[in-house]
């Protein structure tokens, strides 16, 4: 819980009275039973973390570290318009395809694309691409 307060055993409340954080475990109702007999909620649609390209993610995390040193920790979390992120991503991709090696352009392109997705997910007000406008 955010507040650190514990809810006494047997309490039927599902929200902490201090911070209103939900208590409990989400349950899809679907179970996978392992050979050991243990069970787990393995409902699809949650994402498959085991399928991510971890070497690439580690490289992106290093790019994030460099950016935090240059601009401040969590600067990008304040919000950057997706048009700026996508413009930079495409420019870096073009430089990578052109063989330019003055910096890791493929990594910079990936960083910008990932943050454009993050803005779409977490800061929709930063999505300023033309197709966002409602069609008449």
């Amino acid at each position: 819980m955010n507040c650190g307060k514990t809810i006494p055993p047997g309490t039927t409340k599902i929200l902490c009275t201090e911070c209103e954080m939900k208590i409990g475990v989400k349950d899809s109702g679907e179970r996978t039973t392992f050979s050991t007999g243990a069970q787990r909620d393995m409902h699809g649609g949650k994402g498959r973390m085991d399928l991510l390209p971890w070497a690439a993610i580690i490289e992106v995390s290093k790019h994030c570290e460099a950016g935090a040193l240059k601009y401040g920790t969590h600067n990008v979390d304040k919000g950057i318009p997706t048009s700026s992120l996508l413009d930079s991503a495409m420019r870096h991709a073009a430089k990578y395809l052109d063989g330019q090696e003055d910096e890791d352009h493929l990594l910079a392109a990936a960083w910008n694309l990932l943050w454009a997705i993050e803005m779409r997910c977490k800061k929709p007000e930063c999505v300023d691409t033309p197709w966002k406008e409602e069609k008449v």
Side-chain angles (χ1 to χ4, degrees):
M1 282 179 280
N2 289 338
C3 65
K5 183 176 180 181
T6 58
I7 302 298
T11 302
T12 57
K13 291 181 181 178
I14 60 168
L15 294 177
C16 170
T17 55
E18 296 293 318
C19 66
E20 298 186 0
M21 180 179 238
K22 291 182 181 179
I23 300 169
V25 178
K26 289 183 179 181
D27 191 341
S28 71
E30 296 181 23
R31 301 278 184 279
T32 296
T33 303
F34 299 97
S35 61
T36 62
Q39 293 186 355
R40 185 136 205 188
D41 181 352
M42 300 289 283
H43 179 66
K46 293 180 179 180
R48 291 279 308 269
M49 299 300 288
D50 61 315
L51 299 177
L52 289 171
W54 290 108
I57 289 170
I58 290 168
E59 291 304 307
V60 171
S61 77
K62 293 174 186 176
H63 197 75
C64 289
E65 181 180 12
L69 291 171
K70 182 175 180 179
Y71 299 108
T73 303
H74 296 291
N75 174 67
V76 69
D77 293 325
K78 296 174 186 174
I80 296 176
T82 54
S83 61
S84 175
L85 292 164
L86 294 171
D87 177 60
S88 183
M90 296 304 104
R91 184 173 46 259
H92 281 292
K95 288 181 176 186
Y96 172 77
L97 291 170
D98 190 44
Q100 296 183 31
E101 297 179 336
D102 55 311
E103 65 177 293
D104 190 340
H105 291 292
L106 186 59
L107 178 60
W111 183 92
N112 279 279
L113 288 172
L114 286 170
W115 278 101
I117 294 167
E118 181 75 2
M119 293 301 123
R120 184 181 69 186
C121 293
K122 299 279 182 108
K123 291 200 171 286
E125 67 275 15
C126 289
V127 177
D128 63 344
T129 46
W131 53 87
K132 182 186 175 213
E133 301 300 320
E134 287 187 34
K135 295 179 181 175
V136 179

